[in-house]
Amino acid sequence: MQSKNIKWINTARALCMISVYLLHSEFYYGDAGFSYGYALTPFYVNTFFFISGYLLFKKYMKVPETISFPKKEYHKLIANVIFRLVIPTLIFSTLIYIPKMIFHGNPLSFGQYLHDVWGGTSYWFTSALSVAQILLAVLLLSQRSHMAFYVVACTLLSLLGIHLRGIFPSPFPWYYQTGMASTLLMSLGGVYLRYESRINKIISKPYVFGVAAFVYLYSIMITNPTLLQKTIPDIYMHLWEYLTILCSIICIITLSHLLPQVKWLEYIGKNSIIFYFFSGVMPALFGSIISLFAPDASYALTLTVSSIALLAVTGINLIIQQYFPYLTDLRKILFPNQQALHKKSN
């Protein structure tokens, strides 16, 4: 039986991933004038960065007040980033490169392949997350024990990333500006971990959730919707948009704690990396198929596209786990004995 912490994390990841599929289904099939997917953008990617920071600091926050990061752990942390993020990104970017270029009607080019795949521009989220985690690993080498140092350092990194993105808008290589900017959200995940019980007592109160939901909905209905379609590095430090993002994260955390344990949500959350890698190609594929029979979009069919895509990736993930587990971590075939020992110890 998994812990309550893991339960809410997997539920939050699943809700965010479902939102990604809904947005991509709207994009590739149509939204019939009701763009609900874009209304969800303030939380789904930002929550992933938030949770990633939560989990990273959880590993090294040995007691509530301090962070202990043994320098001998550094190579393990970097190896995790390389084997669980960088290499899978390269593998899946390569697998979808030709179908993606054909689908978008772009010419095949080895130079473009190097730019998109090895330059880390095919999958922006895992590329940016790789950069963000490496930057946090470097900060952890400072051996600072208090969370305030990491929040300040990540705030400065975020400002620098946003500034660099304004000067150099190209995401090449590896969405480094977005990764820098996203460290702030990851550090806030660490703050939530540090004060988790206190924060949960506050946000679990109905009126707090109500205020957070109101701010979120108000932003969707009143403010410029194009701002809400962007993730934190694109917002250029408008405080209202940051407040919207924080309120949306509060809403998703609260909902994740309240929802009962649903096995499929748990499964999607636990395997969110695979669902992410197929979050573009599957809605595009099934959106194209359904549009042949129903060219006039209706939102019921948009939901159908996203649901079928999620079900298809559920099957694909089962196949990958059974026959190609190394696609998500090459260490499973390079160091099988170490992997077996690690699994046994857990």
Side-chain angles (χ1 to χ4, degrees), residues 12-28:
R13 283 171 168 171
L15 293 175
C16 293
M17 191 53 61
I18 290 169
S19 301
V20 173
Y21 274 72
L22 180 61
L23 175 62
H24 288 178
S25 297
E26 290 180 354
F27 180 77
Y28 290 113

Side-chain angles (χ1 to χ4, degrees), residues 1-11 54-55 58 193 196 256-257 259-261 266 270 346:
M1 188 72 178
Q2 65 179 333
S3 68
K4 185 177 180 181
N5 278 342
I6 298 301
K7 180 263 173 187
W8 83 259
I9 288 171
N10 284 335
T11 300
Y54 175 96
L55 292 174
K58 185 178 180 65
L193 170 67
E196 186 169 4
S256 299
H257 280 293
L259 285 172
Q261 190 167 349
E266 179 186 330
K270 187 177 180 181
N346 289 337

